[in-house]
Amino acid sequence: MITILLFAGMKEAAGTDKLTMDREQVSVAEVRQFVKETYPAIPGTERAMAAVNEEFVPDQELIRDGDTIAFIPPVSGG
Amino acid sequence: MEQKRYRVTEEPLDSTAIIQRVTDKNAGAVTVFIGTVREMTKGKRTLSLTYEAYVPMAEKKLAQIGAEIEEKWPRTIIAIEHRIGALAISDAAVVIAVSSPHRDASFKGSRYAIERIKEIVPIWKKEHWDDGSSWIGDQLETTAYDEGAPKEGET
């Protein structure tokens, strides 16, 4: 099981902060597509960065069962 | 018990305590940057802000920024705290303290830290105006997000 975390505007538009995907191995790009298809109304799914286990990763990165992937919309701290 | 030098918290920030974390007998300078909640932005009145974070990753990224500063300006000591939750006008959202043997490194490290926070630390703010609210993103107006992760060491 892969855990997908959503934040800020993405979380609000989805109405949830967490999704799961029952796969052994999947690319970040495939997870992004899954989020887009599950919640077509979420803004900025293409543009959000992805972080796997709390580190930024490119779209071709493979993730495995047990991993957590977070989509990071443009940040605005400070 | 040693206090954490990189922290995301819902509590009001205590700048004196944060300064103490970088105090060192070999330091000749301490700079403190405090980012506060501004009321007027481009003619729009902010009533309050809500900050949200991916806390464990945000604390890791704050620590990464500290490590980058130590590498660029040796013998600096850094502490950074960012507040999350509901903040009022003039509340401190972030406090950055940097000490160094000579003042130049403290000034430069402090500036570097706030710019990096706006690039790589997963913290978001939602502005509440009198006529609505919105999540604010990409304050730097960069295109870095289209290329995936921000470049390491990018200033």
Side-chain angles (χ1 to χ4, degrees):
Chain A
M1 182 111 82
I2 287 154
T3 304
I4 305 165
L5 302 180
L6 304 176
F7 295 95
M10 292 180 73
K11 176 176 91 176
E12 262 182 20
T16 182
D17 60 359
K18 199 183 280 184
L19 298 172
T20 56
M21 207 174 170
D22 206 3
R23 295 279 289 273
E24 280 298 312
Q25 181 172 288
V26 65
S27 72
V28 169
E30 287 173 275
V31 179
R32 196 185 292 278
Q33 191 58 31
F34 169 76
V35 173
K36 258 175 81 173
E37 282 164 11
T38 311
Y39 294 104
I42 291 183
T45 304
E46 296 91 344
R47 211 157 77 94
M49 291 190 290
V52 173
N53 302 330
E54 302 168 8
E55 284 299 334
F56 290 113
V57 292
D59 256 32
Q60 60 272 24
E61 186 89 356
L62 292 176
I63 59 180
R64 286 168 190 82
D65 188 38
D67 284 342
T68 296
I69 176 170
F71 285 99
I72 313 285
V75 302
S76 54
Chain B
M1 186 184 83
E2 198 190 337
Q3 288 286 329
K4 272 169 77 173
R5 289 195 289 123
Y6 304 98
R7 210 159 69 102
V8 172
T9 176
E10 290 187 20
E11 303 296 318
L13 302 181
D14 177 354
S15 53
T16 306
I18 297 163
I19 290 166
Q20 279 167 0
R21 274 166 227 153
V22 305
T23 300
D24 184 76
K25 63 180 166 49
N26 292 315
V30 178
T31 59
V32 184
F33 173 86
I34 305 179
T36 55
V37 177
R38 177 178 56 239
E39 182 174 44
M40 299 301 293
T41 302
K42 293 177 183 168
K44 241 178 142 115
R45 183 184 304 278
T46 297
L47 304 176
S48 67
L49 288 184
T50 307
Y51 280 96
E52 179 181 319
Y54 181 13
V55 174
M57 182 172 171
E59 290 186 337
K60 263 182 154 168
K61 291 288 144 188
L62 291 176
Q64 178 190 321
I65 291 169
E68 289 172 6
I69 293 169
E70 285 166 12
E71 198 184 323
K72 284 173 179 286
W73 296 282
R75 300 169 67 202
T76 49
I77 304 170
I78 303 98
I80 308 173
E81 286 200 10
H82 203 299
R83 189 173 168 193
I84 54 171
L87 273 71
I89 303 301
S90 297
D91 278 352
V94 63
V95 175
I96 299 165
V98 183
S99 73
S100 55
H102 301 281
R103 64 185 177 278
D104 191 50
S106 284
F107 278 121
K108 286 179 174 157
S110 181
R111 179 63 191 255
Y112 179 86
I114 186 64
E115 302 302 337
R116 283 296 268 164
I117 285 170
K118 290 171 183 293
E119 288 176 344
I120 65 163
V121 180
I123 297 177
W124 302 272
K125 73 174 168 192
K126 187 175 194 179
E127 295 252 10
H128 304 282
W129 300 296
D130 36 20
D131 62 347
S133 65
S134 179
W135 288 99
I136 306 299
D138 211 356
Q139 290 180 302
L140 296 173
E141 296 177 349
T142 61
T143 56
Y145 294 98
D146 297 332
E147 297 157 13
K151 296 177 187 74
E152 291 297 321
E154 193 178 62
T155 57

